[in-house]
Amino acid sequence: MLIISFDSIGDSEYETLLKYPAFNAFAKQCAVFRGVSTVFLSNTYPVHTSVATGVLPHIHGVTSNTQPFPAASPSSQLSIWNCNENIIKAKTIWQAASRKGIKTAAVLWPVTAFSKTINYNMPEIRARPGKSQVLTSLKAGSVFLQLKLFLRHKKLMDGINQPNLDFFSTACMADILREKKPGLSLVHLTAYDSLCHEIGKGNPALEAIFMAMDKNLSVLLDAAGDDDIILFSDHSQINIHTVIDPNLELVNKKLIRQTDNGYLPGGSSCFFELCGGSAFFHAGSLNEDEIEKIRSCIKNSEGFNRFLTPGEINEAGITNTAFGFCAKAGYCYEIFGTEKKGNHGYPLDMNDYSVFYMVRGCGLKAGSVTQGGSLLDIAPLAAKQLDISL
């Protein structure tokens, strides 16, 4: 089985994909599920971990792309991405497959660094500032395999720039499929997500990315042969015209003050955890009156949509938060200095925010189209076909 993640393609882009030959031909071989709900918090790492485990973030423990922190500067975010597999608290499909004696492979799949059960692993991991990205990646995965593939395909790369990185990832996975023949393989392709953040959905410049995605799909299909295939998107994006940092807003209103390590109102550490379309207030030792004053300020701030419900906060697994809230369409919450034209991380009731997945094989009828469902349905489907237990 091969599981392919095309990051950030919403259900509204599905018809566009059918204009390209590999996707069009593949769709005719698949059972297609459209208007599918993603998982809140709708960011890459929580969603991929839910797809890999079949449970929500409050159970598997990966609640955000990065660890909560009192952000003092954009550079501080680079060192604390949730890359390490050992933070996952639920059984993954690759762990279950390994217990059954099935060989597994992953290329740039989130939260797989330092995995002890993936046989052929090129993990997605970000080097800390000043550290070598190549050495960081080698240490976190299958050293000799990665070194061989890097030397073989490095001409395809341009640092982490897209779509070159996806061409590299695709070539590596194709080689693994042909040479190692794993029973379960997972590959994560991010070009569409990267460019949407930069230029927004609907931009004509995305045509080049659609063409690259179709080319990569063709390569993967050829390498996979007759294997069962599940292709999905983790979340959609919403176009952005204004980026807001609530931490700095409260600093400007003198409700909190900034320090080298974060934000402190009168000596009590607190901060907003910023997750794109949503944000969460960690109140430290503030009293109820102080929290309510900040809550009221947020309610009246530009771009505010609504407060998140207790159920949403619980499902997202965000702990030790006084309250959470989400942005209106066109707005997002990021640290100061971030430039975005598109973003995700919104709750699931936003318009045009559903996703899709496609299944070839697994006992499903080719050509069928089903409306609705959840990305949580993928893990049990894969487990059933592989005869493994989650």
Side-chain angles (χ1 to χ4, degrees), residues 40-41 57-58 63 279-281 295 307-325:
F40 185 69
L41 186 61
H58 77 282
T63 60
F280 302 87
F281 184 59
R295 181 184 169 96
F307 290 108
L308 299 172
T309 68
E312 287 171 326
I313 295 173
N314 178 66
E315 287 190 1
I318 306 296
T319 58
N320 301 318
T321 181
F323 59 87
F325 54 100

Side-chain angles (χ1 to χ4, degrees), residues 34 44 49 61 65 90 93 112 114 133 142 161 165 196 209 218 231 262 275 280 305 316 338 352 368:
R34 300 195 56 187
T44 299
T49 310
N65 289 350
I93 52 176
T112 55
F114 304 101
Q133 180 62 58
S142 304
N161 293 322
L165 181 60
C196 271
I209 297 299
S218 179
L231 185 155
C275 302
F280 302 87
N305 182 9
T338 303
D352 190 21
S368 64

Side-chain angles (χ1 to χ4, degrees), residues 266-288:
S268 174
S269 180
C270 69
F271 65 96
F272 287 100
E273 180 182 356
L274 309 180
C275 302
S278 303
F280 302 87
F281 184 59
H282 298 275
S285 58
L286 294 184
N287 61 43
E288 290 297 326

